[in-house]
Amino acid sequence: MRPIETPKFKCSAGDPPVATNSPTSEQVKYTTCYMCACRCGIKVHLKNGEIRYIEGNREHPVNRGVLCAKGSAGIMQHYSPARLRKPLLRVGPRGAGEFREIEWDEALDIATLWLGRIRATDPKRLAFFTGRDQSQALTGWWASQFGTINYSAHGGFCSVNMAAAGLYTIGGSFWEFGEPDWRHTKYFLLFGVAEDHDSNPIKIGLSKLKARGAKFISVNPIRTGYSAIADEWIGIRPGTDGLFVLSLIHELLRSGKVDADFLARFTNAAWLVIQDEGAPDHGLFARQNDEPLAWDRRRNTLVRALDADASPSLVGERKLADGRRAVPVFELIARRYLDQRYSPDAVAAQTGISAATIKRIAAELAHAAFEQVIEIDQPWTDWTGRQHQRMTGRPVSMHAMRGISAHSNGFHTCRALHLLQALLGAIDTPGSFRYEPPFPRPIPPVAKPAGPAGPDKPLVGTPLGFPRGPEDLVVDVNGLPLRIDKAFSWEAPLAIHGMLHVVIANAFRADPYPIDTLFLYMTNMSWNSAMNTAETMRMLTERDASGEYRIPRIIYSDAYYSEMVAHSDLILPDTTYLERYDCMSLLDRPISDAEAAADAIRQPVVKPDRDVRPFQDVLIELGVRLKLPGLVDAAGKPKFPGLYPDYLVNHEPKPGIGLLAGWRGTNGECQGTGAANAHQLVKYADNGCFWRDPIPAEALYFKPWNRDYLNWAVKKGFLERPEPVFLQLYSETLQEFRLAALGHGRVRVPPMHRDRVATYFDPLPIWYAPFEEVSDRGDFPLHALTQRPMAMYHSWGAQNAWLRQIHGENRLHIHHQLARRLDIADDDWVTVSSAHSEITVQAKLTEGVNRDTVWTWNAIGKQPGAWNLAPGSPESRRGFLMNHLIRDLLPERDGGYRYANADPVTGQAAWYDLRVRIRKAAGHHSHSEPAFPPLNLPPLAERPDVLRYGAGFRSRETP
Ligand code: SF4
C-alpha cells in the first residue's frame, strides 16, 4: 500500500513545519457490518493495528456507501469493555456472575464430555439454540450431525409468521427475501416496520420514492422512524392489521378492482375446491391424475388447471365427474370477504381507522394498480413458452415486518397481506413487490423437519423444515411433541423457525421431557430475549429436590458479558465481528436484491487481543472432538482442519453447491454452482467481501412464471427444476391439517388440540382477536409495544459508548390525551400492570402513538453489572424492559394445559399482544422497578469513566 504523505506548511520563514492533515489510516480492509442484521459493506480504516474509523463501501449492493450511526459506532462495539477475555467456568451459584478463567483445552474437554454423554444416550437431551447470528447454515447442519432435533435460531421469537405465511403463500417473503420495486412503485404501504429493519436498503428506497413523488403510507401504531417521514401515518390499533387488510380486500372485491388475468394465470384462484362437507376430501383441490382441475369457460368443460390453452373461470359452481360440487378458489374468496363483517364501517371501531380512510386507501390502491400501469419495453417468455412483448405491472408495493408478525393472529394477517397483493396483480411485476434470489421457491419448500435419531447417529435431514401435512409433524405415536419447544407438534404445526422463546420454560418443567444441556449462542435469554424475564431467571437458577439445577448444564457462547453469561456454567468467549470470518450465504440469509443474486463474507480485520475464538471455529472443533460424521473422515481426522474458513470453502451440502456461490470452480470460473475453489475467500476479499450475479434483463420480473428466470435459477442451483410457482391463495396444506382435526386421514389429532387446529387452520386468511385481548381486555385496556430504535440493535447498543449517548435510558411513551386523563406528566413515574406482572417506570408524553397504546424502546434497560456498565448507569437505574410484563405461556385451559403465548399455526411469540393498564405511581421513585441485584464481574477490560477514544492517536502521532 502506498504511504500517504502528510502535507506540511511553515507559518513563516524559520518556523518548524506544521502537519495540517495527518492521514487517517495506513490500511483499509473491507468487510461486512454486523451492528444490525442488514449486512452493509464497510471499509475499516486501520493505523498502528487500531481501528481509526469505519466507512460505508460505495460499491456494495446493500448500502451503496450509506452507513448509519450504528455502523460507524462499530468501533466502540469492537473495543467494548464488556468483551469477554477467556473461557469461564462457573464457581458460584448460577446468576451471581462468579467464574474462574480456564484454558481453552479445559473448556473444550468439559464441553466434549457433557455433549459426548448426551450423544451416546439420547441426543435430543441437547437443546442447541442460537440467537441473531448469521451462521445458521452451519449451526443447523452441526445440530443434524450431532443428532439433536432440538435446534433453532431466534426466528420464532422474531418474525416466523411473516416467513411462514410468505413461504406457504407466495414462495417468498418480505424482509431480506423480497423488496419493493423502488424504481417504479407509485404507492407504497409499509406495515409494522421499525426503523432498524432492513435499515439502509429501506432508507435508500424511501429516498427514491420521495424523489419521484410516489405515495408512502405507514401503518403502525407508533409514529417514529419511517412512519415519521411517511406521506400518511395510519396509527392502527395493534393486532388489527389483518382486519384492516381484509376490509381493503372487501372494498376491492366490491368495486370489481382485481386483476382477474393475473389471478387466473399465476395463482390457484381458478383451481376447483371440492365442496362435500363431511367428506375426507372436502376442501381439497379436485384433481385428475394428481393435477388440479379448473373450469374452462370457453370450452365449458373441466380442464387441467395448468393447461396453457385453458380459459379458466374464476367464479361459479361446477359439477365434477363423480357428481360432486366444486367451486374455484376465487369464488370462495369473494363469498368470504364480501361479507359485511369486513366492510369498512364494520371494522372501523376495532381497527381505529375510519371507514372513510379505509375506502379511500382501497380506491387509491386500485387507482395506482389499474390506472397507472407500468410498462417496460422488455420482451419475456412465460413458462408455457408464450412470448410477451412487454413487461406490464401494477405499481403498488407493500412491505411488512414484526409489527404485524409478533401477534397470535400474525400468520393469517401476513397471509391476508399476500392475498391483497395478489388480487391487485402486484407480485413480481414492474412496480410491485419483487422476489430476491434464491426466491421464489416451491410452495412450501421441499425440506421437511427431521425426526429424532438414535444414539450416536446424525439426523436424517435437518431439524427445521416445512411440513406439507399432518404426517410431517415431529410427534410420537400418540401425537405428543418430540421437540423440547413443541415446534412441529399439534401446538404449532408450522413452527418452521422453532420456538426459542419457550425452550427454557419447557426444559424447566420437563415438558415434554427434561433436557441435560442447554447450549446457546448469542441470545440473551435471561434478559431481553425472555418473554418473562424475572421468571426466566428463576427457572435457570431453581434446583430440584436433589440439589441439581432443573436445567442441569448450560453452555453459552457470546462475545460480551451479559445477563445470560451470568446464568451459564461454561462460557466459550466469541470474537467481535471484526475479528472473524462470517458468511451471508444463499443457503441462509443472503444479501441478494431483486435484480441479482448476492452473498457476502466477513473477514477478520484485526486479530483478537484476548484469548477468544470465533464460535464457528469452536463448533467445528467440538464436532471433531465428538467425531460427528460430517466433521471427520473415516479415519477420524478433521475434514476441515482450517476450521470455519476451510468449511466455508469446502463444505458442499450438495455436489457443486457450497455456502458461497461466487468464484466456484477450481479457478473461480463458475458462478452459483461448481467445484470448490481453494482461493474463493481471497476472491471475495479482493471484491469488497461480496459477490453479485445480475439476473438477465428478460428474467427480471414475473420470476415465478418466467422461463428464463426459472432456467437461470436452476443453473445457479436455487431451484431443482424449472417449474413455475403458482401462488397459493387458498392453502391446501392448511386444509389437510384441518381435515385431520376433524377426524379424517391416517394421522389422529389428540382430542385437546382438535378445536384449535380446526379453527386456526383455515385455508383462507382469517382475522381473530389476539389471545391476550380476549382474556384481558376489561382489566387491561391498553396495548403495550416495544420497538428497536434506529440507533441500536437489540441490547448490543446498550454497551456502545457512542450509542449510549443517544439512548442511555428509556421512557414509557403515552398519548397526551391518555396522560391527561390519568394526570400523568413528562417524567412522572407510572406503574404498568399486566395479567402477569408489574413495572414502575418514567413516562414521556407524545402525540405520535395510537391512543390505546403505550410503548418503549426495546432492550435498553440492563441488570447492574451487565455489559460492564458502571454501577448506577442510567440503563440499570432508569432503563427498563417491557419483557417483565409478558407471559411465556397462556392461562391454563380446562385440564390444566397451557399453550405457549404464541401464534397457533407457527408458534411465533406473541409479545405484541401484551395488554396493560397504567396508573401514576404512588410515593417517591428514583429507579425503575423491578430492580435486580448487581452481577459480579469476571475479569474484563478496565472500564473508562470518561471516554477519550482518539486522544491516544494524537499523542502517538505527535513527535
Ligand atoms: S444498517 Fe445495519 S448493517 Fe448497515 S451500517 Fe447500519 S448497522 Fe451496519
Side-chain angles (χ1 to χ4, degrees):
M1 174 170 288
R2 194 167 61 86
I4 301 165
E5 298 242 326
T6 307
K8 290 190 176 150
F9 298 93
K10 290 182 179 183
C11 293
S12 56
D15 284 349
V18 176
T20 52
N21 180 19
S22 64
T24 313
S25 57
E26 55 194 18
Q27 197 184 7
V28 177
K29 281 195 177 170
Y30 289 78
T31 189
T32 304
C33 183
Y34 202 176
M35 291 296 290
C36 84
C38 295
R39 295 149 294 158
C40 299
I42 52 173
K43 295 160 73 175
V44 182
H45 290 252
L46 300 155
K47 193 167 183 182
N48 301 324
E50 291 174 312
I51 301 170
R52 287 302 177 92
Y53 89 104
I54 297 175
E55 184 190 358
N57 176 3
R58 286 164 199 239
E59 313 302 323
H60 198 276
V62 171
N63 56 320
R64 308 271 172 212
V66 176
L67 194 72
C68 76
K70 301 181 296 260
S72 320
I75 302 172
M76 289 296 110
Q77 208 74 15
H78 176 71
Y79 291 120
S80 165
R83 287 180 308 174
L84 296 166
R85 308 191 66 75
K86 206 170 171 60
L88 298 169
L89 188 65
R90 180 175 59 77
V91 292
R94 249 194 218 157
E98 294 168 19
F99 294 96
R100 85 175 157 85
E101 291 189 330
I102 56 174
E103 299 302 323
W104 272 102
D105 259 350
E106 185 181 353
L108 294 173
D109 282 349
I110 295 170
T112 307
L113 178 73
W114 293 356
L115 299 179
R117 273 193 318 234
I118 300 170
R119 188 158 192 268
T121 50
D122 184 0
K124 69 178 187 308
R125 300 262 169 154
L126 169 66
F128 177 36
F129 286 77
T130 73
R132 296 173 185 89
D133 69 292
Q134 293 171 357
S135 48
Q136 288 150 33
L138 167 69
T139 54
W141 178 79
W142 190 94
S144 52
Q145 297 305 304
F146 184 90
T148 182
I149 50 173
N150 288 322
Y151 162 83
S152 82
H154 90 296
F157 192 66
C158 179
S159 297
V160 66
N161 273 335
M162 183 68 61
L167 292 170
Y168 279 82
T169 308
I170 61 169
S173 179
F174 296 125
W175 182 213
E176 61 232 56
F177 308 122
E179 65 178 349
D181 187 349
W182 297 112
R183 245 183 313 149
H184 298 108
T185 198
K186 294 184 176 168
Y187 200 90
F188 178 47
L189 269 177
L190 184 72
F191 288 83
V193 180
E195 46 257 47
D196 70 326
H197 261 133
D198 215 5
S199 185
N200 279 342
I202 289 186
K203 280 183 261 172
I204 295 167
L206 288 178
S207 72
K208 286 183 187 157
L209 294 196
K210 292 256 165 196
R212 285 194 294 103
K215 183 160 184 180
F216 162 33
I217 296 187
S218 179
V219 183
N220 196 320
I222 303 165
R223 188 175 199 183
T224 58
Y226 304 139
S227 297
I229 61 159
D231 297 306
E232 187 172 346
W233 170 58
I234 306 288
I236 195 167
R237 199 164 71 76
T240 64
D241 304 77
L243 199 53
F244 169 56
V245 171
L246 294 177
S247 190
L248 293 174
I249 288 173
H250 172 95
E251 280 297 283
L252 293 172
L253 290 168
R254 197 186 53 76
S255 55
K257 298 288 189 186
V258 295
D259 189 337
D261 187 44
F262 180 94
L263 292 169
R265 286 164 61 194
F266 300 141
T267 78
N268 67 7
W271 297 12
L272 289 169
V273 180
I274 297 166
Q275 301 296 291
D276 189 7
E277 198 78 51
D281 55 358
H282 170 66
L284 301 183
F285 293 126
R287 285 187 162 83
Q288 197 174 33
N289 301 330
D290 245 15
E291 287 202 49
L293 297 172
W295 184 262
D296 190 304
R297 59 190 150 80
R298 291 224 178 91
R299 288 179 269 170
N300 243 347
T301 183
L302 288 168
V303 289
R304 288 186 308 116
L306 308 186
D307 181 345
D309 298 323
S311 302
S313 172
L314 292 176
V315 292
E317 191 169 289
R318 311 293 165 189
K319 212 180 211 183
L320 300 173
D322 61 9
R324 295 191 298 169
R325 291 178 308 116
V327 296
V329 163
F330 184 79
E331 174 82 22
L332 295 175
I333 290 172
R335 285 181 194 173
R336 176 172 294 185
Y337 305 116
L338 280 170
D339 190 287
Q340 278 308 302
R341 74 189 144 127
Y342 296 112
S343 71
D345 291 305
V347 309
Q350 277 169 295
T351 57
I353 307 171
S354 73
T357 301
I358 298 172
K359 287 177 191 169
R360 175 176 52 78
I361 292 176
E364 288 175 358
L365 281 170
H367 179 78
F370 301 113
E371 311 300 327
Q372 297 185 284
V373 171
I374 296 274
E375 295 225 324
I376 297 178
D377 216 4
Q378 170 64 56
W380 69 285
T381 308
D382 69 25
W383 63 281
T384 67
R386 273 182 299 223
Q387 309 273 325
H388 303 265
Q389 284 318 302
R390 284 181 194 76
M391 292 180 162
T392 304
R394 313 281 181 202
V396 170
S397 60
M398 296 170 202
H399 197 75
M401 204 40 210
R402 201 172 48 235
I404 66 168
S405 188
H407 288 288
S408 52
N409 60 12
F411 174 78
H412 278 284
T413 294
C414 300
R415 267 193 37 86
L417 199 49
H418 293 312
L419 175 59
L420 173 63
Q421 292 175 287
L423 290 173
L424 289 165
I427 294 187
D428 219 66
T429 67
S432 67
F433 163 84
R434 304 175 74 187
Y435 298 91
E436 296 173 355
F439 298 95
R441 285 249 160 101
I443 304 174
V446 284
K448 294 176 181 176
D456 280 329
K457 288 205 169 63
L459 299 184
V460 183
T462 54
L464 300 177
F466 304 89
R468 289 181 165 255
E471 56 289 340
D472 295 336
L473 293 185
V474 184
V475 292
D476 68 14
V477 286
N478 299 312
L480 300 175
L482 285 171
R483 284 179 55 114
I484 187 68
D485 57 0
K486 304 187 186 179
F488 308 118
S489 74
W490 290 105
E491 174 155 344
L494 302 188
I496 60 169
H497 288 173
M499 295 169 70
L500 171 66
H501 48 291
V502 290
V503 169
I504 291 174
N506 291 359
F508 171 79
R509 295 183 179 90
D511 174 17
Y513 47 80
I515 61 163
D516 180 280
T517 297
L518 179 62
F519 186 5
L520 298 174
Y521 174 49
M522 237 176 80
T523 179
N524 200 354
M525 287 304 296
S526 64
W527 194 248
N528 57 288
S529 290
M531 289 176 74
N532 179 350
T533 314
E535 184 67 1
T536 302
M537 288 180 175
R538 183 180 72 76
M539 295 178 200
L540 292 170
T541 52
E542 195 172 290
R543 296 172 193 264
D544 63 19
S546 71
E548 181 162 38
Y549 287 114
R550 288 185 184 275
I551 300 174
R553 277 160 280 281
I554 301 177
I555 305 175
Y556 185 45
S557 179
D558 204 330
Y560 307 104
Y561 184 59
S562 67
E563 294 84 351
M564 191 61 227
V565 172
H567 283 85
S568 302
D569 306 322
L570 176 66
I571 311 301
L572 307 174
D574 192 14
T575 61
T576 72
Y577 72 103
L578 296 174
E579 296 169 324
R580 66 165 182 257
Y581 279 101
D582 272 325
C583 170
M584 279 56 73
S585 170
L586 279 146
L587 306 180
D588 182 351
R589 300 180 69 165
I591 60 159
S592 302
D593 54 69
E595 308 212 335
D599 60 16
I601 63 163
R602 283 190 192 96
Q603 63 169 339
V605 298
V606 283
K607 285 202 173 99
D609 58 355
R610 310 161 314 288
D611 193 9
V612 298
R613 296 184 185 178
F615 176 67
Q616 294 84 352
D617 284 357
V618 171
L619 205 57
I620 288 173
E621 182 160 355
L622 273 175
V624 172
R625 286 169 171 245
L626 291 162
K627 304 245 177 290
L628 302 187
L631 285 151
V632 290
D633 61 21
K637 292 266 177 346
K639 279 192 185 167
F640 308 105
L643 300 173
Y644 193 47
D646 191 348
Y647 174 86
L648 285 182
V649 169
N650 292 310
H651 174 62
E652 291 188 334
K654 286 186 193 165
I657 294 184
L659 272 85
L660 291 167
W663 298 286
R664 299 194 68 79
T666 322
N667 297 309
E669 69 281 9
C670 304
Q671 311 301 328
T673 60
N677 168 14
H679 306 291
Q680 196 179 28
L681 293 179
V682 176
K683 291 282 191 189
Y684 273 81
D686 289 347
N687 196 54
C689 286
F690 71 89
W691 165 82
R692 187 172 187 270
D693 193 12
I695 301 169
E698 63 278 14
L700 277 173
Y701 292 95
F702 302 97
K703 294 186 191 91
W705 322 284
N706 181 321
R707 193 176 68 183
D708 292 303
Y709 176 78
L710 296 168
N711 286 332
W712 181 83
V714 170
K715 202 165 130 214
K716 300 293 167 188
F718 306 150
L719 291 174
E720 299 251 326
R721 285 178 286 281
E723 289 174 359
V725 178
F726 296 97
L727 311 185
Q728 298 296 298
L729 310 184
Y730 180 98
S731 172
E732 195 178 49
T733 300
L734 295 182
Q735 180 66 8
E736 297 265 16
F737 281 99
R738 177 183 253 185
L739 286 170
L742 296 173
H744 300 294
R746 278 188 305 113
V747 182
R748 289 280 163 261
V749 186
M752 61 178 292
H753 298 301
R754 284 181 194 159
D755 282 354
R756 180 171 143 120
V757 172
T759 304
Y760 299 113
F761 278 73
D762 194 306
L764 286 176
I766 53 175
W767 183 84
Y768 49 92
F771 295 158
E772 289 278 8
E773 187 161 336
V774 173
S775 53
D776 293 336
R777 187 157 188 186
D779 292 340
F780 303 100
L782 301 172
H783 300 267
L785 300 177
T786 59
Q787 61 168 0
R788 299 194 299 231
M790 182 98 57
M792 285 188 172
Y793 183 61
H794 294 281
S795 63
W796 288 350
Q799 67 183 274
N800 188 299
W802 290 348
L803 301 180
R804 290 180 64 212
Q805 295 172 45
I806 303 172
H807 298 282
E809 54 192 62
N810 52 321
R811 297 281 192 275
L812 186 77
H813 297 269
I814 306 173
H815 195 277
H816 275 284
Q817 283 186 0
L818 174 63
R820 212 170 301 132
R821 239 179 28 238
L822 299 171
D823 188 27
I824 294 168
D826 266 339
D827 290 338
D828 277 354
W829 290 88
V830 294
T831 296
V832 189
S833 314
S834 72
H836 175 66
S837 188
E838 212 168 74
I839 57 175
T840 296
V841 300
Q842 278 183 287
K844 177 86 184 151
L845 311 195
T846 177
E847 293 291 340
V849 64
N850 172 282
R851 286 171 198 197
D852 295 322
T853 304
V854 295
W855 71 275
T856 193
W857 295 122
N858 183 29
I860 291 182
K862 294 302 288 177
Q863 184 168 3
W867 283 172
N868 196 9
L869 298 182
S873 67
E875 286 84 354
S876 60
R877 289 181 60 75
R878 292 185 299 276
F880 67 92
L881 297 182
M882 200 81 94
N883 308 47
H884 300 304
L885 298 172
I886 307 172
R887 48 189 172 196
D888 43 11
L889 302 178
L890 290 171
E892 240 176 58
R893 301 165 69 89
D894 292 345
Y897 192 80
R898 295 185 70 184
Y899 282 110
N901 183 4
D903 186 287
V905 179
T906 63
Q908 153 99 54
W911 40 300
Y912 281 178
D913 280 4
L914 178 62
R915 305 281 301 182
V916 300
R917 64 169 175 266
I918 60 173
R919 64 179 190 278
K920 201 164 168 171
H924 172 75
H925 292 267
S926 59
H927 58 82
S928 306
E929 287 175 9
F932 293 85
L935 295 172
N936 292 301
L937 300 185
L940 297 172
E942 199 181 328
R943 171 193 341 107
D945 285 331
V946 177
L947 184 72
R948 290 205 180 85
Y949 184 75
F953 295 170
R954 227 169 297 124
S955 62
R956 281 195 288 284
E957 277 158 16
T958 309

